[in-house]
Amino acid sequence: MLKNFYLLLILLVVQCKNCYAQYDIETPLLRHYSRASGLPSDYVNSMYQDKKGYIWIATDKGICRYNGVKYEYFSTDNGLPDNMAYSFFEDQQNNIWIKCYGNKIAMFDGQTLTDYSKKYPQELENVINIQADAQNNLYFFNSRSEVLQFNAKNEWFKTKLDYNLQLNDNNINQIFAITPNQSLIFAGK
């Protein structure tokens, strides 16, 4: 009789442990977002979480900012240069820079979306990547292997000729970092 009691006790403990494990399996750990949940498109190029916690989503139908409850949409109707958006970069002032189709660039300052491609069409032509240094100067790397320094506060450009870049367009496609002494760290394809 005592042997049956211990067997029953062991089975009860094992069953309770299994019940707990099943609870964890049924608890969603990952949420799937799509057009059905409010995205403008199921075609997503990239996502970025900014310093304020918003999730930015680049799609073929514009961008959206998600606060965990609702989406705020931006498109060519709001000042985006093109609805096909590819990537985001956040500067030290919490401005969100958006790279769109045709390597066009826009900036969202928290209130307004500005198409910098219209303001500076020659300087921002064919931008591949954006980075910033500790002084909040932005660096735009373009497909002509040029690095342009942009001072957002005073809105001026400077071509960084002192890097003496001897690059082939097919070799370099990313600036990973700007070091404190203004050196660039590149990566290839």
Side-chain angles (χ1 to χ4, degrees):
M1 186 76 163
L2 192 57
K3 187 176 176 182
N4 288 340
F5 174 74
Y6 286 122
L7 185 60
L8 182 62
L9 184 62
I10 290 171
L11 286 172
L12 184 62
V13 169
V14 169
Q15 285 293 29
C16 288
K17 191 172 184 178
N18 286 342
C19 292
Y20 182 75
Q22 287 176 359
Y23 174 75
D24 283 347
I25 290 171
E26 293 175 1
T27 302
L29 300 175
L30 191 64
R31 292 187 182 162
H32 180 80
Y33 294 98
S34 64
R35 280 184 15 184
S37 63
L39 281 176
S41 172
D42 286 331
Y43 187 85
V44 173
N45 288 311
S46 69
M47 296 175 65
Y48 174 74
Q49 183 171 12
D50 69 18
K51 295 171 190 163
K52 296 177 184 175
Y54 291 108
I55 303 292
W56 291 86
I57 304 163
T59 76
D60 62 334
K61 303 223 186 302
I63 61 172
C64 36
R65 181 172 70 167
Y66 182 60
N67 66 7
V69 178
K70 67 177 186 167
Y71 296 96
E72 183 177 1
Y73 303 101
F74 302 92
S75 68
T76 53
D77 296 337
N78 309 80
L80 201 61
D82 196 280
N83 283 334
M84 178 65 86
Y86 291 120
S87 60
F88 303 99
F89 178 80
E90 184 173 11
D91 66 22
Q92 293 176 2
Q93 308 300 318
N94 299 329
N95 297 317
I96 303 295
W97 294 82
I98 303 113
K99 183 179 162 210
C100 296
Y101 177 78
N103 297 319
K104 296 176 182 171
I105 303 294
M107 188 268 290
F108 182 71
D109 64 6
Q111 302 292 326
T112 307
L113 190 60
T114 304
D115 181 352
Y116 271 73
S117 300
K118 284 185 180 174
K119 288 178 88 169
Y120 304 103
Q122 287 182 310
E123 293 89 343
L124 292 176
E125 185 177 50
N126 299 316
V127 169
I128 295 171
N129 189 258
I130 307 170
Q131 285 296 323
D133 64 17
Q135 292 75 38
N136 204 34
N137 292 309
L138 295 174
Y139 293 83
F140 296 97
F141 179 69
N142 66 31
S143 61
R144 294 183 306 272
S145 299
E146 297 171 328
V147 178
L148 303 172
Q149 180 184 18
F150 178 66
N151 182 295
K153 182 178 178 183
N154 299 320
E155 292 203 8
W156 55 258
F157 278 91
K158 175 182 170 186
T159 303
K160 297 298 288 182
L161 299 173
D162 54 336
Y163 287 109
N164 193 20
L165 298 174
Q166 303 290 323
L167 305 174
N168 181 333
D169 292 350
N170 296 323
N171 294 333
I172 303 295
N173 68 350
Q174 198 69 259
I175 299 174
F176 273 127
I178 311 286
T179 64
N181 67 353
Q182 302 278 310
S183 296
L184 300 176
I185 299 173
F186 291 102
K189 292 183 179 179

